[in-house]
PDB file of all heavy atoms in Angstrom:
ATOM      1  N   LEU A  20       6.409   1.983  -3.467  1.00 96.00           N
ATOM      2  CA  LEU A  20       5.003   1.671  -3.764  1.00 96.00           C
ATOM      3  C   LEU A  20       4.111   2.905  -3.651  1.00 96.00           C
ATOM      4  O   LEU A  20       2.914   2.839  -3.951  1.00 96.00           O
ATOM      5  CB  LEU A  20       4.503   0.568  -2.832  1.00 96.00           C
ATOM      6  CG  LEU A  20       5.200  -0.794  -2.979  1.00 96.00           C
ATOM      7  CD1 LEU A  20       4.741  -1.751  -1.887  1.00 96.00           C
ATOM      8  CD2 LEU A  20       4.940  -1.396  -4.359  1.00 96.00           C
ATOM      9  N   ASN A  21       4.718   4.027  -3.161  1.00 95.00           N
ATOM     10  CA  ASN A  21       3.987   5.291  -3.038  1.00 95.00           C
ATOM     11  C   ASN A  21       2.799   5.168  -2.087  1.00 95.00           C
ATOM     12  O   ASN A  21       1.695   5.649  -2.366  1.00 95.00           O
ATOM     13  CB  ASN A  21       3.528   5.785  -4.421  1.00 95.00           C
ATOM     14  CG  ASN A  21       3.094   7.241  -4.394  1.00 95.00           C
ATOM     15  OD1 ASN A  21       3.478   7.996  -3.517  1.00 95.00           O
ATOM     16  ND2 ASN A  21       2.269   7.622  -5.364  1.00 95.00           N
ATOM     17  N   VAL A  22       3.030   4.489  -0.981  1.00 92.00           N
ATOM     18  CA  VAL A  22       2.009   4.415   0.074  1.00 92.00           C
ATOM     19  C   VAL A  22       2.593   5.094   1.307  1.00 92.00           C
ATOM     20  O   VAL A  22       3.696   4.799   1.731  1.00 92.00           O
ATOM     21  CB  VAL A  22       1.594   2.960   0.385  1.00 92.00           C
ATOM     22  CG1 VAL A  22       0.841   2.365  -0.774  1.00 92.00           C
ATOM     23  CG2 VAL A  22       2.787   2.090   0.745  1.00 92.00           C
ATOM     24  N   GLY A  23       1.859   6.047   1.850  1.00 77.00           N
ATOM     25  CA  GLY A  23       2.386   6.804   2.978  1.00 77.00           C
ATOM     26  C   GLY A  23       1.295   7.177   3.946  1.00 77.00           C
ATOM     27  O   GLY A  23       0.309   6.448   4.097  1.00 77.00           O
ATOM     28  N   PRO A  24       1.442   8.331   4.613  1.00 66.00           N
ATOM     29  CA  PRO A  24       0.492   8.751   5.652  1.00 66.00           C
ATOM     30  C   PRO A  24      -0.963   8.776   5.184  1.00 66.00           C
ATOM     31  O   PRO A  24      -1.863   8.461   5.954  1.00 66.00           O
ATOM     32  CB  PRO A  24       0.973  10.161   6.012  1.00 66.00           C
ATOM     33  CG  PRO A  24       2.432  10.165   5.664  1.00 66.00           C
ATOM     34  CD  PRO A  24       2.559   9.273   4.476  1.00 66.00           C
ATOM     35  N   SER A  25      -1.190   9.124   3.909  1.00 62.00           N
ATOM     36  CA  SER A  25      -2.578   9.212   3.421  1.00 62.00           C
ATOM     37  C   SER A  25      -3.253   7.857   3.359  1.00 62.00           C
ATOM     38  O   SER A  25      -4.483   7.752   3.386  1.00 62.00           O
ATOM     39  CB  SER A  25      -2.613   9.865   2.035  1.00 62.00           C
ATOM     40  OG  SER A  25      -1.868   9.083   1.110  1.00 62.00           O
ATOM     41  N   THR A  26      -2.436   6.788   3.255  1.00 60.00           N
ATOM     42  CA  THR A  26      -3.015   5.437   3.187  1.00 60.00           C
ATOM     43  C   THR A  26      -2.692   4.633   4.444  1.00 60.00           C
ATOM     44  O   THR A  26      -2.742   3.415   4.433  1.00 60.00           O
ATOM     45  CB  THR A  26      -2.466   4.688   1.955  1.00 60.00           C
ATOM     46  OG1 THR A  26      -1.030   4.772   1.962  1.00 60.00           O
ATOM     47  CG2 THR A  26      -2.982   5.269   0.668  1.00 60.00           C
ATOM     48  N   VAL A  27      -2.365   5.360   5.530  1.00 50.00           N
ATOM     49  CA  VAL A  27      -1.892   4.674   6.731  1.00 50.00           C
ATOM     50  C   VAL A  27      -2.942   3.719   7.312  1.00 50.00           C
ATOM     51  O   VAL A  27      -2.610   2.681   7.874  1.00 50.00           O
ATOM     52  CB  VAL A  27      -1.421   5.710   7.793  1.00 50.00           C
ATOM     53  CG1 VAL A  27      -2.588   6.462   8.418  1.00 50.00           C
ATOM     54  CG2 VAL A  27      -0.570   5.052   8.853  1.00 50.00           C
ATOM     55  N   GLU A  28      -4.233   4.063   7.158  1.00 59.00           N
ATOM     56  CA  GLU A  28      -5.283   3.194   7.711  1.00 59.00           C
ATOM     57  C   GLU A  28      -5.279   1.825   7.032  1.00 59.00           C
ATOM     58  O   GLU A  28      -5.580   0.806   7.649  1.00 59.00           O
ATOM     59  CB  GLU A  28      -6.672   3.837   7.545  1.00 59.00           C
ATOM     60  CG  GLU A  28      -6.907   5.082   8.379  1.00 59.00           C
ATOM     61  CD  GLU A  28      -6.287   6.327   7.766  1.00 59.00           C
ATOM     62  OE1 GLU A  28      -5.856   6.273   6.596  1.00 59.00           O
ATOM     63  OE2 GLU A  28      -6.212   7.354   8.473  1.00 59.00           O
ATOM     64  N   THR A  29      -4.953   1.820   5.744  1.00 67.00           N
ATOM     65  CA  THR A  29      -4.978   0.546   5.015  1.00 67.00           C
ATOM     66  C   THR A  29      -3.699  -0.262   5.235  1.00 67.00           C
ATOM     67  O   THR A  29      -3.612  -1.394   4.807  1.00 67.00           O
ATOM     68  CB  THR A  29      -5.151   0.789   3.504  1.00 67.00           C
ATOM     69  OG1 THR A  29      -4.007   1.499   3.017  1.00 67.00           O
ATOM     70  CG2 THR A  29      -6.403   1.586   3.216  1.00 67.00           C
ATOM     71  N   LEU A  30      -2.703   0.373   5.892  1.00 80.00           N
ATOM     72  CA  LEU A  30      -1.420  -0.302   6.055  1.00 80.00           C
ATOM     73  C   LEU A  30      -1.255  -0.927   7.442  1.00 80.00           C
ATOM     74  O   LEU A  30      -0.153  -1.037   7.949  1.00 80.00           O
ATOM     75  CB  LEU A  30      -0.270   0.689   5.805  1.00 80.00           C
ATOM     76  CG  LEU A  30      -0.183   1.256   4.388  1.00 80.00           C
ATOM     77  CD1 LEU A  30       0.977   2.221   4.271  1.00 80.00           C
ATOM     78  CD2 LEU A  30      -0.030   0.150   3.362  1.00 80.00           C
ATOM     79  N   SER A  31      -2.330  -1.329   8.047  1.00 88.00           N
ATOM     80  CA  SER A  31      -2.245  -1.960   9.370  1.00 88.00           C
ATOM     81  C   SER A  31      -1.949  -3.453   9.222  1.00 88.00           C
ATOM     82  O   SER A  31      -2.143  -4.049   8.160  1.00 88.00           O
ATOM     83  CB  SER A  31      -3.555  -1.772  10.137  1.00 88.00           C
ATOM     84  OG  SER A  31      -4.560  -2.609   9.584  1.00 88.00           O
ATOM     85  N   TRP A  32      -1.465  -4.034  10.302  1.00 94.00           N
ATOM     86  CA  TRP A  32      -1.162  -5.479  10.353  1.00 94.00           C
ATOM     87  C   TRP A  32      -2.404  -6.294  10.010  1.00 94.00           C
ATOM     88  O   TRP A  32      -2.354  -7.214   9.178  1.00 94.00           O
ATOM     89  CB  TRP A  32      -0.662  -5.804  11.752  1.00 94.00           C
ATOM     90  CG  TRP A  32      -0.105  -7.178  11.936  1.00 94.00           C
ATOM     91  CD1 TRP A  32      -0.782  -8.316  12.254  1.00 94.00           C
ATOM     92  CD2 TRP A  32       1.273  -7.559  11.828  1.00 94.00           C
ATOM     93  NE1 TRP A  32       0.071  -9.381  12.352  1.00 94.00           N
ATOM     94  CE2 TRP A  32       1.347  -8.947  12.104  1.00 94.00           C
ATOM     95  CE3 TRP A  32       2.448  -6.874  11.532  1.00 94.00           C
ATOM     96  CZ2 TRP A  32       2.549  -9.641  12.090  1.00 94.00           C
ATOM     97  CZ3 TRP A  32       3.649  -7.568  11.526  1.00 94.00           C
ATOM     98  CH2 TRP A  32       3.689  -8.942  11.802  1.00 94.00           C
ATOM     99  N   GLU A  33      -3.529  -5.941  10.647  1.00 93.00           N
ATOM    100  CA  GLU A  33      -4.765  -6.711  10.467  1.00 93.00           C
ATOM    101  C   GLU A  33      -5.262  -6.615   9.026  1.00 93.00           C
ATOM    102  O   GLU A  33      -5.836  -7.568   8.495  1.00 93.00           O
ATOM    103  CB  GLU A  33      -5.856  -6.197  11.428  1.00 93.00           C
ATOM    104  CG  GLU A  33      -5.509  -6.337  12.904  1.00 93.00           C
ATOM    105  CD  GLU A  33      -5.240  -7.776  13.332  1.00 93.00           C
ATOM    106  OE1 GLU A  33      -5.788  -8.706  12.708  1.00 93.00           O
ATOM    107  OE2 GLU A  33      -4.458  -7.974  14.284  1.00 93.00           O
ATOM    108  N   ASN A  34      -5.052  -5.471   8.397  1.00 93.00           N
ATOM    109  CA  ASN A  34      -5.564  -5.248   7.050  1.00 93.00           C
ATOM    110  C   ASN A  34      -4.982  -6.234   6.038  1.00 93.00           C
ATOM    111  O   ASN A  34      -5.655  -6.639   5.090  1.00 93.00           O
ATOM    112  CB  ASN A  34      -5.266  -3.806   6.616  1.00 93.00           C
ATOM    113  CG  ASN A  34      -6.276  -3.316   5.598  1.00 93.00           C
ATOM    114  OD1 ASN A  34      -7.474  -3.461   5.788  1.00 93.00           O
ATOM    115  ND2 ASN A  34      -5.787  -2.764   4.507  1.00 93.00           N
ATOM    116  N   VAL A  35      -3.714  -6.609   6.249  1.00 95.00           N
ATOM    117  CA  VAL A  35      -3.081  -7.578   5.342  1.00 95.00           C
ATOM    118  C   VAL A  35      -3.851  -8.895   5.366  1.00 95.00           C
ATOM    119  O   VAL A  35      -3.962  -9.590   4.351  1.00 95.00           O
ATOM    120  CB  VAL A  35      -1.596  -7.810   5.722  1.00 95.00           C
ATOM    121  CG1 VAL A  35      -0.943  -8.823   4.777  1.00 95.00           C
ATOM    122  CG2 VAL A  35      -0.816  -6.499   5.694  1.00 95.00           C
ATOM    123  N   GLY A  36      -4.398  -9.227   6.527  1.00 95.00           N
ATOM    124  CA  GLY A  36      -5.115 -10.498   6.672  1.00 95.00           C
ATOM    125  C   GLY A  36      -6.574 -10.454   6.273  1.00 95.00           C
ATOM    126  O   GLY A  36      -7.217 -11.504   6.154  1.00 95.00           O
ATOM    127  N   THR A  37      -7.111  -9.236   6.088  1.00 94.00           N
ATOM    128  CA  THR A  37      -8.563  -9.145   5.825  1.00 94.00           C
ATOM    129  C   THR A  37      -8.921  -8.478   4.494  1.00 94.00           C
ATOM    130  O   THR A  37      -9.922  -8.834   3.875  1.00 94.00           O
ATOM    131  CB  THR A  37      -9.252  -8.356   6.963  1.00 94.00           C
ATOM    132  OG1 THR A  37      -8.626  -7.073   7.085  1.00 94.00           O
ATOM    133  CG2 THR A  37      -9.153  -9.101   8.288  1.00 94.00           C
ATOM    134  N   ALA A  38      -8.122  -7.516   4.056  1.00 93.00           N
ATOM    135  CA  ALA A  38      -8.488  -6.748   2.853  1.00 93.00           C
ATOM    136  C   ALA A  38      -8.283  -7.566   1.584  1.00 93.00           C
ATOM    137  O   ALA A  38      -7.303  -8.293   1.441  1.00 93.00           O
ATOM    138  CB  ALA A  38      -7.651  -5.468   2.783  1.00 93.00           C
ATOM    139  N   ASP A  39      -9.225  -7.436   0.641  1.00 91.00           N
ATOM    140  CA  ASP A  39      -9.084  -8.110  -0.653  1.00 91.00           C
ATOM    141  C   ASP A  39      -8.062  -7.383  -1.524  1.00 91.00           C
ATOM    142  O   ASP A  39      -7.416  -7.992  -2.378  1.00 91.00           O
ATOM    143  CB  ASP A  39     -10.440  -8.161  -1.374  1.00 91.00           C
ATOM    144  CG  ASP A  39     -11.404  -9.126  -0.685  1.00 91.00           C
ATOM    145  OD1 ASP A  39     -10.923 -10.138  -0.122  1.00 91.00           O
ATOM    146  OD2 ASP A  39     -12.614  -8.846  -0.685  1.00 91.00           O
ATOM    147  N   THR A  40      -7.930  -6.072  -1.311  1.00 94.00           N
ATOM    148  CA  THR A  40      -6.984  -5.272  -2.093  1.00 94.00           C
ATOM    149  C   THR A  40      -6.175  -4.375  -1.160  1.00 94.00           C
ATOM    150  O   THR A  40      -6.753  -3.613  -0.377  1.00 94.00           O
ATOM    151  CB  THR A  40      -7.725  -4.390  -3.123  1.00 94.00           C
ATOM    152  OG1 THR A  40      -8.487  -5.234  -3.992  1.00 94.00           O
ATOM    153  CG2 THR A  40      -6.739  -3.570  -3.941  1.00 94.00           C
ATOM    154  N   LEU A  41      -4.861  -4.473  -1.246  1.00 94.00           N
ATOM    155  CA  LEU A  41      -3.976  -3.605  -0.465  1.00 94.00           C
ATOM    156  C   LEU A  41      -3.496  -2.420  -1.293  1.00 94.00           C
ATOM    157  O   LEU A  41      -3.300  -1.326  -0.779  1.00 94.00           O
ATOM    158  CB  LEU A  41      -2.764  -4.397   0.041  1.00 94.00           C
ATOM    159  CG  LEU A  41      -3.043  -5.526   1.030  1.00 94.00           C
ATOM    160  CD1 LEU A  41      -1.772  -6.331   1.299  1.00 94.00           C
ATOM    161  CD2 LEU A  41      -3.603  -4.979   2.340  1.00 94.00           C
ATOM    162  N   LEU A  42      -3.293  -2.654  -2.595  1.00 95.00           N
ATOM    163  CA  LEU A  42      -2.828  -1.609  -3.508  1.00 95.00           C
ATOM    164  C   LEU A  42      -3.812  -1.564  -4.680  1.00 95.00           C
ATOM    165  O   LEU A  42      -3.825  -2.478  -5.509  1.00 95.00           O
ATOM    166  CB  LEU A  42      -1.401  -1.936  -3.985  1.00 95.00           C
ATOM    167  CG  LEU A  42      -0.558  -0.754  -4.481  1.00 95.00           C
ATOM    168  CD1 LEU A  42      -0.291   0.234  -3.344  1.00 95.00           C
ATOM    169  CD2 LEU A  42       0.768  -1.238  -5.049  1.00 95.00           C
ATOM    170  N   PRO A  43      -4.635  -0.533  -4.766  1.00 95.00           N
ATOM    171  CA  PRO A  43      -5.728  -0.536  -5.752  1.00 95.00           C
ATOM    172  C   PRO A  43      -5.257  -0.305  -7.189  1.00 95.00           C
ATOM    173  O   PRO A  43      -4.210   0.291  -7.438  1.00 95.00           O
ATOM    174  CB  PRO A  43      -6.622   0.623  -5.286  1.00 95.00           C
ATOM    175  CG  PRO A  43      -5.690   1.547  -4.564  1.00 95.00           C
ATOM    176  CD  PRO A  43      -4.660   0.666  -3.911  1.00 95.00           C
ATOM    177  N   SER A  44      -6.052  -0.758  -8.123  1.00 96.00           N
ATOM    178  CA  SER A  44      -5.802  -0.501  -9.549  1.00 96.00           C
ATOM    179  C   SER A  44      -5.807   1.003  -9.785  1.00 96.00           C
ATOM    180  O   SER A  44      -6.560   1.744  -9.148  1.00 96.00           O
ATOM    181  CB  SER A  44      -6.895  -1.144 -10.405  1.00 96.00           C
ATOM    182  OG  SER A  44      -6.937  -2.528 -10.168  1.00 96.00           O
ATOM    183  N   GLY A  45      -4.941   1.435 -10.700  1.00 96.00           N
ATOM    184  CA  GLY A  45      -4.865   2.858 -11.017  1.00 96.00           C
ATOM    185  C   GLY A  45      -3.886   3.619 -10.132  1.00 96.00           C
ATOM    186  O   GLY A  45      -3.587   4.786 -10.390  1.00 96.00           O
ATOM    187  N   HIS A  46      -3.372   2.981  -9.082  1.00 96.00           N
ATOM    188  CA  HIS A  46      -2.423   3.635  -8.172  1.00 96.00           C
ATOM    189  C   HIS A  46      -1.051   3.739  -8.840  1.00 96.00           C
ATOM    190  O   HIS A  46      -0.559   2.785  -9.436  1.00 96.00           O
ATOM    191  CB  HIS A  46      -2.323   2.817  -6.877  1.00 96.00           C
ATOM    192  CG  HIS A  46      -1.323   3.359  -5.890  1.00 96.00           C
ATOM    193  ND1 HIS A  46      -1.633   4.360  -5.013  1.00 96.00           N
ATOM    194  CD2 HIS A  46      -0.015   3.036  -5.662  1.00 96.00           C
ATOM    195  CE1 HIS A  46      -0.575   4.631  -4.272  1.00 96.00           C
ATOM    196  NE2 HIS A  46       0.422   3.839  -4.645  1.00 96.00           N
ATOM    197  N   GLN A  47      -0.436   4.905  -8.757  1.00 96.00           N
ATOM    198  CA  GLN A  47       0.876   5.142  -9.368  1.00 96.00           C
ATOM    199  C   GLN A  47       1.981   4.805  -8.365  1.00 96.00           C
ATOM    200  O   GLN A  47       2.007   5.342  -7.263  1.00 96.00           O
ATOM    201  CB  GLN A  47       0.999   6.607  -9.784  1.00 96.00           C
ATOM    202  CG  GLN A  47       2.360   7.004 -10.334  1.00 96.00           C
ATOM    203  CD  GLN A  47       2.592   6.518 -11.757  1.00 96.00           C
ATOM    204  OE1 GLN A  47       1.787   6.784 -12.647  1.00 96.00           O
ATOM    205  NE2 GLN A  47       3.685   5.801 -11.980  1.00 96.00           N
ATOM    206  N   ILE A  48       2.888   3.917  -8.769  1.00 96.00           N
ATOM    207  CA  ILE A  48       4.040   3.629  -7.912  1.00 96.00           C
ATOM    208  C   ILE A  48       5.252   4.410  -8.417  1.00 96.00           C
ATOM    209  O   ILE A  48       5.285   4.875  -9.547  1.00 96.00           O
ATOM    210  CB  ILE A  48       4.360   2.118  -7.822  1.00 96.00           C
ATOM    211  CG1 ILE A  48       4.913   1.581  -9.154  1.00 96.00           C
ATOM    212  CG2 ILE A  48       3.141   1.324  -7.368  1.00 96.00           C
ATOM    213  CD1 ILE A  48       5.491   0.165  -9.052  1.00 96.00           C
ATOM    214  N   ASN A  49       6.240   4.554  -7.538  1.00 96.00           N
ATOM    215  CA  ASN A  49       7.451   5.297  -7.894  1.00 96.00           C
ATOM    216  C   ASN A  49       8.472   4.390  -8.572  1.00 96.00           C
ATOM    217  O   ASN A  49       8.284   3.174  -8.659  1.00 96.00           O
ATOM    218  CB  ASN A  49       8.054   5.944  -6.650  1.00 96.00           C
ATOM    219  CG  ASN A  49       7.174   7.054  -6.100  1.00 96.00           C
ATOM    220  OD1 ASN A  49       6.603   7.832  -6.860  1.00 96.00           O
ATOM    221  ND2 ASN A  49       7.046   7.118  -4.779  1.00 96.00           N
ATOM    222  N   LYS A  50       9.551   5.011  -9.015  1.00 94.00           N
ATOM    223  CA  LYS A  50      10.614   4.259  -9.689  1.00 94.00           C
ATOM    224  C   LYS A  50      11.216   3.207  -8.764  1.00 94.00           C
ATOM    225  O   LYS A  50      11.323   3.411  -7.552  1.00 94.00           O
ATOM    226  CB  LYS A  50      11.718   5.204 -10.164  1.00 94.00           C
ATOM    227  CG  LYS A  50      11.352   6.048 -11.377  1.00 94.00           C
ATOM    228  CD  LYS A  50      11.329   5.208 -12.640  1.00 94.00           C
ATOM    229  CE  LYS A  50      11.034   6.063 -13.877  1.00 94.00           C
ATOM    230  NZ  LYS A  50      10.875   5.223 -15.069  1.00 94.00           N
ATOM    231  N   SER A  51      11.648   2.122  -9.362  1.00 92.00           N
ATOM    232  CA  SER A  51      12.275   1.045  -8.603  1.00 92.00           C
ATOM    233  C   SER A  51      13.665   1.462  -8.127  1.00 92.00           C
ATOM    234  O   SER A  51      14.351   2.246  -8.784  1.00 92.00           O
ATOM    235  CB  SER A  51      12.397  -0.209  -9.465  1.00 92.00           C
ATOM    236  OG  SER A  51      13.050  -1.228  -8.758  1.00 92.00           O
ATOM    237  N   GLU A  52      14.056   0.968  -6.963  1.00 93.00           N
ATOM    238  CA  GLU A  52      15.433   1.108  -6.480  1.00 93.00           C
ATOM    239  C   GLU A  52      15.796  -0.173  -5.732  1.00 93.00           C
ATOM    240  O   GLU A  52      14.924  -0.854  -5.194  1.00 93.00           O
ATOM    241  CB  GLU A  52      15.599   2.334  -5.576  1.00 93.00           C
ATOM    242  CG  GLU A  52      14.727   2.324  -4.332  1.00 93.00           C
ATOM    243  CD  GLU A  52      15.005   3.520  -3.421  1.00 93.00           C
ATOM    244  OE1 GLU A  52      16.157   3.661  -2.976  1.00 93.00           O
ATOM    245  OE2 GLU A  52      14.058   4.281  -3.136  1.00 93.00           O
ATOM    246  N   LEU A  53      17.078  -0.496  -5.733  1.00 94.00           N
ATOM    247  CA  LEU A  53      17.500  -1.729  -5.072  1.00 94.00           C
ATOM    248  C   LEU A  53      17.372  -1.583  -3.560  1.00 94.00           C
ATOM    249  O   LEU A  53      17.852  -0.607  -2.982  1.00 94.00           O
ATOM    250  CB  LEU A  53      18.947  -2.070  -5.448  1.00 94.00           C
ATOM    251  CG  LEU A  53      19.189  -2.493  -6.905  1.00 94.00           C
ATOM    252  CD1 LEU A  53      20.670  -2.753  -7.127  1.00 94.00           C
ATOM    253  CD2 LEU A  53      18.369  -3.739  -7.258  1.00 94.00           C
TER     254      LEU A  53
END
């Protein structure tokens, strides 16, 4: 999903329950792997 240290603040437990958007539009994700 290409989310790492730069987005660490948005990746908290509480954020999943409160944020309207976890992965914003325009964000580039990496290639899929199993």
Side-chain angles (χ1 to χ4, degrees):
L20 296 173
N21 195 22
V22 292
S25 61
T26 51
V27 72
E28 292 80 11
T29 64
L30 296 180
S31 73
W32 189 273
E33 298 301 332
N34 207 48
V35 180
T37 56
D39 290 328
T40 301
L41 295 173
L42 203 64
S44 301
H46 177 84
Q47 175 76 54
I48 70 169
N49 292 320
K50 286 287 183 186
S51 177
E52 60 176 301
L53 291 178

